[in-house]
């Protein structure tokens, strides 16, 4: 009985921690955003891969392929690094459109959503 | 009275501290950072020297303005204008600089048209200022409620399997996807995934789009180069067959489909050593996000699609000895 209640709690915790419906491979970036008074950033892989091949960001722009390993600041973006290489008002919207990127729910942890690795009991 | 003395104190402090540490003046900070938004009024920022924009905010008290400038606001003002390297005193000096401009502008142009604006605006402004903390407090309850609703998946037979989403939870628009904040204006301006996926070949997992077929049939044409839309990828057509244990079909790894998206340097040599037999790959490693699992299960199709990789049927009549040596 105790065990089953414990299991239920564990399952409840797991499910509450996971946004169930988020699009596959959406990345939440909240390493700095909320500490500095902004909503977390949501990066949609799907939107970008229709327009650019993986290599553009992951080879040319130097984004490492591991969530949390890219320390992106607004200064970098203004200097044309990372997101700023395209989000400069030339190729994509410029960084003054804060709310388009900083659109995540407050309190979300940094992570990639929707896959098997980051969510639920599949992480052993 | 207290507030006033505080402000004068902080002003005095900033005046005293500024020259001592050779800090940037309010004008410098404004010119370098604040002007990006405040010169033109981007994203609802109060415009430099525009009394109509500033008067409701001034009415809220200079202390609150300092607070907004230092900590940012939910309306879009980033903390310290997005440049954390400024000291508090420098940011306050910039606020003072902008306020001074409003005051000098207000004297000669203290005209009737600005007064109605000032009268109208105080109403929304304090509302926003007071309602924003409310929003922050109120938010956890609905999200918690929504999460609880998701925690008890009554009708979802496959809810235990995160890779098989039930129909209603596939590709929702950003305001409903559980990670975007519906209270954020920008969320509603974002493209819903299904709009972008119209006409793309479907698959059973991930985004439920067959990206490899989409690029193969030119339904999408993602750029290989950041700026040059005509640059072509260097595609390498080389299949690597990996024999696997048990009755599972062998894995055929196609370089072709991978080099249509990726550079050699994305995988070699950090993830896969480019040498035959040098890479020990297991499903456990993949599920832990290593080897193929760096992408497959996160952004490329997940492991639920076994037969997309395990695609080469074994010759089951193979002598037991040979099978045993392969297993080793």
């Amino acid at each position: 009985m105790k065990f089953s209640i414990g299991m239920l709690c564990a399952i409840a915790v797991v499910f509450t921690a996971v946004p169930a419906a988020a699009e596959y491979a959406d990345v939440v970036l909240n390493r700095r955003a909320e500490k500095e008074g902004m909503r977390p950033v949501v990066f949609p892989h799907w939107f970008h891969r229709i327009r650019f091949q993986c290599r553009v960001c992951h080879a040319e722009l130097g984004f490492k392929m591991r969530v949390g390993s890219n320390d992106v600041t607004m200064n970098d973006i203004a200097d044309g690094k990372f997101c700023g290489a395209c989000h400069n008002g030339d190729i994509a919207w410029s960084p003054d459109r804060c709310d388009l990127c900083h659109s995540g729910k407050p309190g979300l942890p940094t992570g990639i959503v929707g896959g098997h690795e980051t969510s639920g009991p599949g992480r052993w | 009275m207290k507030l006033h003395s505080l402000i004068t104190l902080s002003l005095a402090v900033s005046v005293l501290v500024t020259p001592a540490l050779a800090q940037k003046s309010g004008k410098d900070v404004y010119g370098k950072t604040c002007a990006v938004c405040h010169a033109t009024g981007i994203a609802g920022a109060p415009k430099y020297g525009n009394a109509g924009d500033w008067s409701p905010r001034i009415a809220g008290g200079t202390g609150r303005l300092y607070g907004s400038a230092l900590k940012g606001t939910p309306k879009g003002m980033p903390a310290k204008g997005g440049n954390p390297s400024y000291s508090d005193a420098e940011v306050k000096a910039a606020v003072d600089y902008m306020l001074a401009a409003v005051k000098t502008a207000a004297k000669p142009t203290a005209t009737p048209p600005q007064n109605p604006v000032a009268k109208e605006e105080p109403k929304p402004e304090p509302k926003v200022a007071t309602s924003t903390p409310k929003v922050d407090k109120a938010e956890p309850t609905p999200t918690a409620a929504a999460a609880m609703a998701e925690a008890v998946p009554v009708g979802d037979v496959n809810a235990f399997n995160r890779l098989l989403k039930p129909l209603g939870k596939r590709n929702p628009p950003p305001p409903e996807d559980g990670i975007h904040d519906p209270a954020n204006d920008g969320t509603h301006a974002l493209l819903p995934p299904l709009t972008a996926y119209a006409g793309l070949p479907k698959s059973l997992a991930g985004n439920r789009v067959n990206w490899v077929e989409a690029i193969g049939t030119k339904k999408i044409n993602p750029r290989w180069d950041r700026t040059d839309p005509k640059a072509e990828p260097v595609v390498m057509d080389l299949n690597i067959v990996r024999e696997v244990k048990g009755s599972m079909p062998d894995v055929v790894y196609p370089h072709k489909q991978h080099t249509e998206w990726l550079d050699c340097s994305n995988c070699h040599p950090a993830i896969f050593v480019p040498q035959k037999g040098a890479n020990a790959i297991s499903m456990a490693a993949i599920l832990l996000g290593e080897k193929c699992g760096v992408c497959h299960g996160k952004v490329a199709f997940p492991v639920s699609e076994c037969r997309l990789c395990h695609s080469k049927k074994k010759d089951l009549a193979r002598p037991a000895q040979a099978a045993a040596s392969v297993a080793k």
Side-chain angles (χ1 to χ4, degrees), chain A residues 61-106:
Chain A
L61 305 188
F63 278 102
K64 289 176 196 152
M65 299 195 290
R66 191 175 292 278
V67 160
S69 61
N70 298 293
D71 194 8
V72 182
T73 64
M74 285 311 293
N75 281 349
D76 290 337
I77 294 171
D79 289 347
K81 293 179 199 156
F82 295 116
C83 321
C86 295
H87 284 278
N88 51 12
D90 190 20
I91 297 176
W93 67 61
S94 62
D96 57 31
R97 308 285 309 276
C98 315
D99 59 347
L100 291 178
C101 300
H102 288 273
S103 58
K105 278 189 177 166

Side-chain angles (χ1 to χ4, degrees), chain A residues 10-64:
Chain A
I11 288 168
V13 165
V14 160
F15 274 99
T16 47
V18 176
E23 192 63 26
Y24 188 65
D26 277 0
V27 181
V28 176
L29 295 94
N30 199 4
R31 184 170 165 152
R32 294 173 172 275
E34 260 191 309
K35 280 184 211 150
E36 296 180 12
M38 294 295 286
R39 289 184 171 87
V41 173
V42 176
F43 170 84
H45 264 109
W46 63 268
F47 184 94
H48 291 82
R49 73 183 296 177
I50 292 174
R51 290 154 181 83
F52 296 96
Q53 297 185 0
C54 318
R55 69 163 294 280
V56 174
C57 301
H58 289 299
E60 248 182 90
L61 305 188
F63 278 102
K64 289 176 196 152

Side-chain angles (χ1 to χ4, degrees), chain B:
Chain B
M1 193 57 201
K2 262 187 185 173
L3 220 162
H4 203 82
S5 60
L6 261 177
I7 292 165
T8 45
L9 231 173
S10 65
L11 274 176
V13 166
S14 68
V15 165
L16 281 174
V17 166
T18 309
L21 297 176
Q23 282 172 324
K24 291 181 191 100
S25 71
K27 191 182 176 184
D28 285 348
V29 174
Y30 170 80
K32 268 199 163 174
T33 305
C34 317
V36 174
C37 296
H38 288 281
T40 50
I42 285 171
K47 226 169 147 180
Y48 178 73
N50 185 332
D53 284 357
W54 282 96
S55 50
R57 291 171 167 90
I58 294 170
T62 320
R64 180 176 279 174
L65 276 174
Y66 287 154
S68 304
L70 290 170
K71 291 176 186 165
T73 66
K75 284 195 293 183
M77 171 73 199
K80 292 191 176 178
N83 189 341
S85 66
Y86 289 134
S87 69
D88 288 9
E90 283 171 335
V91 174
K92 285 178 180 174
V95 174
D96 293 338
Y97 175 73
M98 284 188 270
L99 290 178
V102 179
K103 277 166 195 163
T104 51
K107 273 173 199 167
T109 55
T111 44
Q114 279 172 355
N115 286 336
V117 178
K119 269 179 198 167
E120 278 167 33
E121 281 196 12
K123 286 174 200 164
E125 176 55 28
K127 241 191 233 169
V128 170
T130 50
S131 70
T132 38
K134 267 187 205 162
V135 168
D136 288 346
K137 276 176 200 164
E139 249 160 27
T141 14
T143 48
M148 280 312 288
E150 284 163 12
V152 193
V154 182
D156 301 344
V157 242
N158 280 326
F160 65 93
N161 190 336
R162 296 169 308 283
L163 302 176
L164 297 172
K165 278 182 194 160
L167 194 61
K169 287 185 180 171
R170 291 172 198 164
N171 317 114
E176 295 162 26
D177 69 0
I179 56 169
H180 285 90
D181 188 353
N184 174 40
D185 292 340
T187 301
H188 300 273
L190 297 172
L191 183 74
L194 276 184
T195 315
Y197 296 167
L200 297 186
K202 291 189 167 57
S203 85
L204 293 171
N207 301 110
R208 307 191 81 80
V209 170
N210 188 335
W211 294 108
V212 167
E213 196 187 324
I215 199 175
T217 54
K218 303 270 175 201
K219 288 269 165 52
I220 57 171
N221 192 18
R223 281 187 195 176
W224 182 78
D225 187 85
R226 184 174 62 91
T227 46
D228 182 6
K230 284 177 188 158
E232 288 287 326
V234 185
V235 175
M236 177 185 183
D237 194 358
L238 170 68
N239 285 345
I240 307 285
V241 177
R242 291 188 64 96
E243 294 177 333
V244 299
K245 294 173 193 167
S247 58
M248 202 63 188
D250 288 337
V251 172
V252 179
Y253 166 84
H255 271 98
K256 183 168 176 278
Q257 279 81 343
H258 289 81
T259 47
E260 280 174 354
W261 292 98
L262 292 154
D263 249 15
C264 312
S265 65
N266 285 124
C267 305
H268 302 305
I271 304 172
F272 297 105
V273 183
Q275 185 191 328
K276 196 183 174 195
N279 299 287
I281 306 175
S282 70
M283 287 313 295
I286 293 170
L287 283 163
L288 282 166
E290 291 162 18
K291 304 294 176 188
C292 319
V294 169
C295 298
H296 286 280
K298 291 187 193 136
V299 63
F301 64 78
V303 291
S304 57
E305 309 307 286
C306 315
R307 297 304 157 110
L308 290 181
C309 300
H310 290 272
S311 57
K312 188 173 178 245
K313 268 197 179 164
K314 279 177 179 156
D315 179 13
L316 291 175
R318 192 164 50 190
Q321 249 188 340
S325 72
V326 165
K328 276 172 198 169

